[in-house]
Amino acid sequence: MKLTDFLAGVLTGVAAGIVVSETIDRVNQNVSADSVLNTIKDAFKNEGPIDGSWIVMKTEPFKNNVITMDVYRGGISRIKEGELEQFEFAADAKTGTVVELIKA
């Protein structure tokens, strides 16, 4: 096998990988879970420090009356006036908008 044939094969594989990656990114229009969590944490930090946070990286279906969407589930904990407060949230995977916030 010639070196030029080998390099042509490698370059073809890399190009195909890039095309497939771009196609997958276009199909999956969800906001990243990390981005959603950081936005929610920033909102909570406006009221004071937070102690912990978590988010499930995989979306799940969410239904609120007649509206159905994929959401990320997560939570935030903080100490406020000496008491532990915990919140659980559901955020729309496409926009990052919080659609449910429950004080646990």
Side-chain angles (χ1 to χ4, degrees):
M1 175 184 280
K2 295 181 183 177
L3 181 60
T4 55
D5 292 340
F6 176 75
L7 289 176
V10 169
L11 291 175
T12 302
V14 169
I18 291 171
V19 169
V20 169
S21 176
E22 291 294 322
T23 303
I24 289 172
D25 287 344
R26 287 186 188 144
V27 170
N28 184 9
Q29 295 293 324
N30 290 345
V31 177
S32 75
D34 289 329
S35 176
V36 171
L37 182 59
N38 287 333
T39 301
I40 294 170
K41 285 169 50 177
D42 289 342
F44 270 85
K45 286 178 184 176
N46 288 334
E47 295 185 10
I50 61 172
D51 285 342
S53 63
W54 59 273
I55 193 164
V56 178
M57 303 300 269
K58 185 176 180 184
T59 61
E60 67 179 58
F62 174 81
K63 186 171 184 177
N64 187 0
N65 297 326
V66 296
I67 300 170
T68 303
M69 66 187 78
D70 288 333
V71 297
Y72 293 114
R73 292 255 179 210
I76 300 279
S77 62
R78 67 180 179 185
I79 303 290
K80 187 171 183 181
E81 298 175 5
E83 297 289 323
L84 177 65
E85 287 186 331
Q86 294 181 331
F87 297 87
E88 292 183 3
F89 63 84
D92 183 3
K94 296 216 180 300
T95 64
T97 303
V98 175
V99 294
E100 181 180 63
L101 181 66
I102 300 169
K103 186 172 182 179

